[in-house]
Amino acid sequence: MRLLTHNMLSSNIKGVTNGFPLRIEVEKVVEKEVDLNMDFLRNMFAKIEWKALVEASRTMGYSELPDDAESSMLDSDEFLRKFHHALLELHLEEGALVCPETGRKFPVNKGIPNMLLHEDEV
Amino acid sequence: MKLKQLEGLLGSLQQFETPKIELEQYPTGPHIASRLLYTIPSFSIIQAENSFGDVSDKVVADFGCGCGTLGLAAGLLGAEHVIGFDIDAESIEIASLNADELELDMDFIQCDIRNLRLSDRAIDTVVMNPPFGTRKKGADMDFLSMALKVASGAVYSLHKTTTRDHIKRTALREYNASSAEVLSELRFDVPQLYKFHKKKEVDVAVDLWRFVPNNNRPKHL
């Protein structure tokens, strides 16, 4: 799972109101190189929850993103490369996503989070 | 990309070995259902890209992705990020192998679409071939309702032609779609796979729909 996916996903347990962002527990991170698409990054920047991305990438061992970012930074190639790397090249391969409100763990195996709920969570 | 090319690429993919009846999974044999499995997905994604530009450089979600065909087709046509959602672990496993086979990066989430929580409008385009609700009534409407919640650009979906009026009405009135349009009426044969199928083959007409979500609603997570 890439951090772009993580950035849009909330805990889906019934009754949880602050389910975003899911905390990440890392057992294994994989990096896969992809081509940088500048227009895509510009578009995504407006949609991304920046703080959640910064925190998630740090948990995954990548601490190059600045705490705050604004759209003027998209003119910098260096910034774009870092943003691109954090958003699209880091994969959580093994670990868990943790509901920030209840602490419930959603396991991640082979890169796939299991967000299925138990009967009493629906 | 041409229809034949895309069909050819998808034709090499693995499909269900033991389809699950309750999830309305349809498998393939060498001679059956290839229209459903390759032609219709290829046709749908090519329309989405060529007529509306809803695929390349986009974030695309495949709801009820099964073996991943629609999502992978979107990836082949240049989607920047594709996420497949399915309730069934085995399906996702096959889909993930298929992605490797095509050398595409696709994310997957195992979940029940009905209790998925994604940020509103995080997805540009949702593509889906939802269960038609023949085994579980209303399943396709649950998918559509969620798709129109999370998509900002467009939703492509296949539904039985017999439900056309109901779908249009519900999408516009209840699911906040600003438009709902049938792009094509397609036919395919569902082979006799399960014991409850009485006839050998059933001719089914499905509509390929394009819905546009109403983006003027308030944004909240």
Side-chain angles (χ1 to χ4, degrees):
Chain A
M1 185 198 61
R2 294 151 147 181
L3 293 187
L4 173 50
T5 301
H6 170 262
N7 205 272
M8 59 177 79
L9 196 60
S10 294
S11 168
N12 52 352
I13 301 167
K14 191 184 176 186
V16 166
T17 51
N18 293 305
F20 183 89
L22 291 155
R23 230 167 46 234
I24 296 177
E25 282 185 8
V26 179
E27 278 172 43
K28 187 180 171 196
V29 173
V30 174
E31 293 186 23
K32 291 182 200 165
E33 217 174 290
V34 281
D35 292 340
L36 188 148
N37 179 340
M38 207 182 288
D39 292 334
F40 178 77
L41 291 174
R42 286 176 196 279
N43 281 334
M44 282 319 295
F45 184 77
K47 294 187 174 186
I48 284 290
E49 297 288 337
W50 185 257
K51 287 212 177 317
L53 179 65
V54 173
E55 204 176 303
S57 61
R58 285 186 187 157
T59 311
M60 305 263 281
Y62 183 72
S63 40
E64 299 292 314
L65 292 184
D67 285 331
D68 295 296
E70 48 186 272
S71 51
S72 64
M73 295 164 100
L74 292 166
D75 295 332
S76 148
D77 285 349
E78 197 192 341
F79 176 78
L80 282 177
R81 263 201 313 278
K82 290 173 178 174
F83 180 34
H84 169 76
H85 183 69
L87 196 67
L88 296 170
E89 294 187 327
L90 297 174
H91 295 248
L92 179 63
E93 186 70 9
E94 299 289 335
L97 301 175
V98 185
C99 170
E101 199 171 299
T102 64
R104 152 78 140 96
K105 282 187 193 181
F106 299 96
V108 178
N109 296 313
K110 292 183 191 164
I112 300 158
N114 179 347
M115 304 295 291
L116 289 180
L117 299 173
H118 306 307
E119 253 171 55
D120 58 350
E121 296 173 327
V122 179
Chain B
M1 196 180 294
K2 293 256 169 30
L3 181 64
K4 282 279 169 227
Q5 263 176 296
L6 186 57
E7 258 187 276
L9 286 166
L10 298 177
S12 65
L13 300 181
Q14 265 193 66
Q15 299 289 341
F16 300 114
E17 275 173 25
T18 45
K20 297 190 179 80
I21 179 171
E22 68 280 10
L23 299 177
E24 296 187 33
Q25 294 175 344
Y26 290 107
T28 181
H31 57 292
I32 49 172
S34 74
R35 237 178 107 63
L36 174 62
L37 287 160
Y38 310 116
T39 313
I40 291 179
S42 304
F43 178 81
S44 307
I45 298 298
I46 283 179
Q47 279 239 308
E49 175 59 12
N50 291 0
S51 306
F52 300 98
D54 282 329
V55 176
S56 72
D57 294 344
K58 302 290 185 196
V59 176
V60 175
D62 181 351
F63 276 9
C65 66
C67 304
T69 317
L70 279 170
L72 292 167
L76 289 168
L77 263 71
E80 178 75 22
H81 184 62
V82 185
I83 314 171
F85 298 86
D86 206 287
I87 197 167
D88 182 41
E90 277 174 60
S91 297
I92 292 182
E93 203 165 307
I94 298 174
S96 167
L97 291 173
N98 285 337
D100 290 347
E101 175 77 25
L102 294 173
E103 294 180 2
L104 289 170
D105 270 325
M106 181 166 167
D107 275 4
F108 295 97
I109 294 176
Q110 189 185 358
C111 71
D112 185 333
I113 289 292
R114 290 169 302 174
N115 10 321
L116 174 66
R117 227 178 276 173
L118 286 184
S119 311
D120 280 2
R121 279 166 271 166
I123 304 289
D124 294 312
T125 306
V126 175
V127 296
M128 60 187 191
N129 181 4
F132 290 142
T134 45
R135 300 300 293 174
K136 202 182 205 174
K137 216 170 172 351
D140 59 338
M141 299 312 278
D142 290 339
F143 274 57
L144 182 58
S145 160
M146 185 59 77
L148 281 163
K149 230 182 257 177
V150 303
S152 65
V155 174
Y156 292 84
S157 186
L158 295 159
H159 299 272
K160 280 168 114 170
T161 300
T162 50
T163 61
R164 190 180 286 182
D165 293 343
H166 172 62
I167 291 200
K168 181 151 200 159
R169 211 170 37 238
T170 312
L172 293 174
R173 287 193 196 156
E174 291 173 36
Y175 299 161
N176 216 3
S178 67
S179 80
E181 187 192 349
V182 173
L183 301 180
S184 311
E185 187 181 319
L186 307 151
R187 285 181 174 277
F188 65 89
D189 298 329
V190 180
Q192 186 189 27
L193 301 167
Y194 303 125
K195 288 201 179 103
F196 69 84
H197 284 155
K198 292 200 182 73
K199 288 189 215 157
K200 251 208 169 116
E201 277 195 344
V202 194
D203 187 28
V204 181
V206 294
D207 292 335
L208 169 62
W209 286 85
R210 180 176 188 267
F211 303 92
V212 176
N214 179 358
N215 280 326
N216 296 324
R217 64 221 140 109
K219 177 174 177 166
H220 50 82
L221 218 82

